[in-house]
Amino acid sequence: MTAVVPHSPATPRGKTNAPHRRGLTVPTGLAGLSLDAMASVSYGPEAIVLVLAAAGAAGLGATLPVTLAIVALLAVLIASYRQVIAAFPDGGGAYAVAKRHLGHRTSLVAAASLIANAVPSFAEPRVRRAQRAEVALGVLLGTMLIGLAVLIEKFSLHPVEGVTVLSQLTEAALGHGFGYYVVQFATVVLLALAANTSYGGLPTLTRILADDNCLPHRFAVSSPRQVYRYGVLTLGVSAAALLIGAGGTMNALVPLFAIGVFVGFTIAQAGMVRHWWLTRGAGWRMRLGLNGFGALLTTAAALVTTAMKFTEGAWLIVLVLPALVFAMQRVRAAYRRIGHCRAAGAIPAQPRASGTVVVVPISEVSELSREALSAALSMGSDVVAVHVCLPGESVRAFTKAWEAWHPEVRLVLLEDSDATVGGPVARYLRENFAGRRKVVVVAEVDPPGGWDRVLPSHRSDELERELRRMTDTVVCHLRVQVA
């Protein structure tokens, strides 16, 4: 983040005192962006062993060949994503690729399953640094996966209830001493930091989607600490719901994660195929073939995982992805209608003044009423005070107090018809001031905080709900502080 310093005589134009933003290098990029991928090494081999154990000893003997096949798939993905980095250096990953080459609807599928591309975070030359970090990540992951598979076969490990495969492997290699606990503690820290990675990536993605009118714009509003709080809160609630629904069982959540990742990879590769077909630069045939092969592999992986794990929870992702796409399309359509009403981008007609009446709802003769009428008289000369006669109220006592006060403002008494304040006031405005701009001044006591906020009657909220439907009415809230 770079501070923006206003121009001043002490600061030459074109220069600022903003601190220089240092980009990521390959080592710092790996440390900051690859923790979630590294963490998969702690539960990936266990998922392999759990599946192969169903076939007995023969199945467990295939741990290394299956791992080698997974590493080969990883290599294809790394090579493919290096091309995504080069073609889209401004970031966005699968969402950016799909948005440009596959259309808006497909990009919303990609956004629903995206692992964001953080190329803009790297220092120059950022494309080359990001590509090197991608390759380094692939080499590290492949080496660790193959090494763990070799050790699993060497020690003949198998699933044990209540003990992870990584724990068994560590105990077999290091014993149950100090080294064992160091590895376990490091694994816990890695998983915790990897979980935190999502809180940095997903809120940024929701901000991008909000800027594209696919999510409510409040997702693009950051706090003073530059945190997209609504994205963070949404992620926290969703993660808690998944964790509770899965009963804390990791193996029930891994297929959901895998399917979402492979869908995003498939869309990115398909988009890159179209990218190379359209651009046809140097070596485009080889690049198109690589991305096409990657798309076939990830499509097969997504379909197989969905079919095998459908009854074990994968059905949820099959329902959630289309539901998210549908919801984001509805949001986009709503913003399109709002934009049409606003006539955004067009030059509007010249503003002009219109006859304005200022209306002040008065519930009692008090200091609060004086503040409200004073504010109204400051806004215009045509001021009307209205009082809604509610059931059980002494209208005579109110009028007597008003006449004794005599504020030199016209008073109108409104009969209550539905036991509310908003209904009679809105009806009075429509029937008596058609074609005029109406300003309603609502005075209310602002409690100091805490439980005191439940004490007021909140009649002002009821009044505003009625008046907000009137496009020619402006509601002004005057809050009087309580010492």
Side-chain angles (χ1 to χ4, degrees):
M1 295 173 289
T2 304
V4 178
V5 181
H7 172 70
S8 64
T11 303
R13 186 173 299 277
K15 298 183 180 181
T16 68
N17 293 328
H20 177 64
R21 180 183 180 274
R22 298 184 60 185
L24 297 175
T25 62
V26 174
T28 57
L30 284 174
L33 303 173
S34 65
L35 292 178
D36 52 346
M38 294 291 188
S40 64
V41 177
S42 66
Y43 54 79
E46 177 151 356
I48 297 173
V49 171
L50 284 174
V51 173
L52 296 179
L60 288 173
T63 301
L64 182 57
V66 170
T67 302
L68 291 174
I70 293 174
V71 172
L73 173 61
L74 176 64
V76 173
L77 291 177
I78 293 296
S80 300
Y81 253 78
R82 290 183 81 250
Q83 301 190 155
V84 175
I85 291 172
F88 292 87
D90 292 331
Y95 178 67
V97 177
K99 184 180 177 182
R100 178 179 298 181
H101 295 300
L102 300 179
H104 170 70
R105 181 174 299 179
T106 304
S107 70
L108 295 180
V109 179
S113 57
L114 176 70
I115 296 179
N117 184 350
V119 179
S121 301
F122 283 86
E124 294 290 348
R126 58 185 184 180
V127 170
R128 182 172 300 177
R129 290 180 187 271
Q131 289 177 328
R132 289 175 178 174
E134 189 86 2
V135 172
L137 173 60
V139 171
L140 288 174
L141 284 177
T143 302
M144 288 190 289
L145 285 173
I146 294 173
L148 289 175
V150 170
L151 292 176
I152 288 172
E153 288 197 351
K154 176 181 179 180
F155 295 118
S156 302
L157 300 182
H158 56 85
V160 176
E161 184 69 26
V163 183
T164 65
V165 170
L166 188 62
S167 176
Q168 296 180 59
L169 183 59
T170 306
E171 186 173 8
L174 302 177
H176 205 77
F178 178 75
Y180 170 84
Y181 289 103
V182 169
V183 173
Q184 297 305 302
F185 178 75
T187 303
V188 171
V189 172
L190 175 61
L191 289 172
L193 293 175
N196 188 60
T197 303
S198 298
Y199 287 89
L202 186 69
T204 301
L205 172 61
T206 57
R207 190 266 304 167
I208 295 173
L209 289 170
D211 288 341
D212 286 345
N213 294 333
C214 298
L215 285 179
H217 286 172
R218 65 182 57 196
F219 281 92
V221 178
S222 64
S223 68
R225 295 176 178 264
Q226 298 300 310
V227 174
Y228 301 106
R229 64 183 70 181
Y230 290 101
V232 171
L233 291 174
T234 301
L235 175 60
V237 172
S238 302
L242 282 174
L243 192 62
I244 294 172
T249 304
M250 174 203 67
N251 293 311
L253 296 174
V254 169
L256 303 182
F257 168 75
I259 295 170
V261 168
F262 283 127
V263 168
F265 284 160
T266 300
I267 293 174
Q269 301 312 306
M272 289 303 297
V273 168
R274 180 169 172 78
H275 172 78
W276 299 125
W277 177 261
L278 294 175
T279 58
R280 302 197 179 195
W284 70 273
R285 288 185 176 86
M286 182 185 68
R287 298 173 187 275
L288 184 149
L290 176 60
N291 286 125
F293 183 58
L296 289 177
L297 290 180
T298 52
T299 299
L303 293 176
V304 169
T305 305
T306 303
M308 296 296 295
K309 299 294 184 179
F310 187 82
T311 58
E312 300 177 21
W315 59 268
L316 180 62
I317 203 76
V318 175
L319 294 179
V320 167
L321 285 181
L324 286 174
V325 173
F326 176 75
M328 286 189 280
Q329 285 182 316
R330 292 292 301 270
V331 171
R332 189 178 180 87
Y335 276 122
R336 190 179 297 114
R337 292 192 299 270
I338 294 172
H340 179 72
C341 294
R342 292 168 49 214
I347 299 178
Q350 292 297 316
R352 59 183 179 84
S354 60
T356 302
V357 59
V358 185
V359 178
V360 184
I362 300 292
S363 60
E364 62 181 0
V365 175
S366 64
E367 183 64 21
L368 192 64
S369 304
R370 187 192 69 81
E371 291 283 353
L373 290 176
S374 298
L377 290 169
S378 302
M379 297 179 183
S381 58
D382 191 358
V383 178
V384 180
V386 296
H387 175 77
V388 179
C389 304
L390 296 172
E393 178 188 1
S394 175
V395 179
R396 184 175 181 180
F398 174 80
T399 54
K400 184 177 180 180
W402 180 269
E403 291 171 356
W405 183 29
H406 192 60
E408 297 185 354
V409 173
R410 180 161 59 101
L411 174 67
V412 176
L413 299 178
L414 302 178
E415 292 294 332
D416 167 53
S417 58
D418 53 6
T420 66
V421 171
V425 173
R427 187 163 47 253
Y428 171 73
L429 295 177
R430 283 193 296 266
E431 294 175 353
N432 294 273
F433 304 106
R436 297 182 64 184
R437 178 75 66 183
K438 297 169 275 292
V439 178
V440 180
V441 178
V442 180
E444 54 190 340
V445 175
D446 190 19
W451 68 273
D452 294 335
R453 295 192 179 276
V454 304
L455 299 180
S457 64
H458 296 287
R459 287 283 190 182
S460 60
D461 298 335
E462 170 193 305
L463 181 61
E464 184 173 8
R465 281 194 299 270
E466 290 289 337
L467 297 179
R468 67 172 33 170
R469 304 172 186 172
M470 304 171 62
T471 58
D472 58 352
T473 302
V474 179
V475 180
C476 296
H477 286 275
L478 176 64
R479 302 186 184 277
V480 178
Q481 300 290 330
V482 176

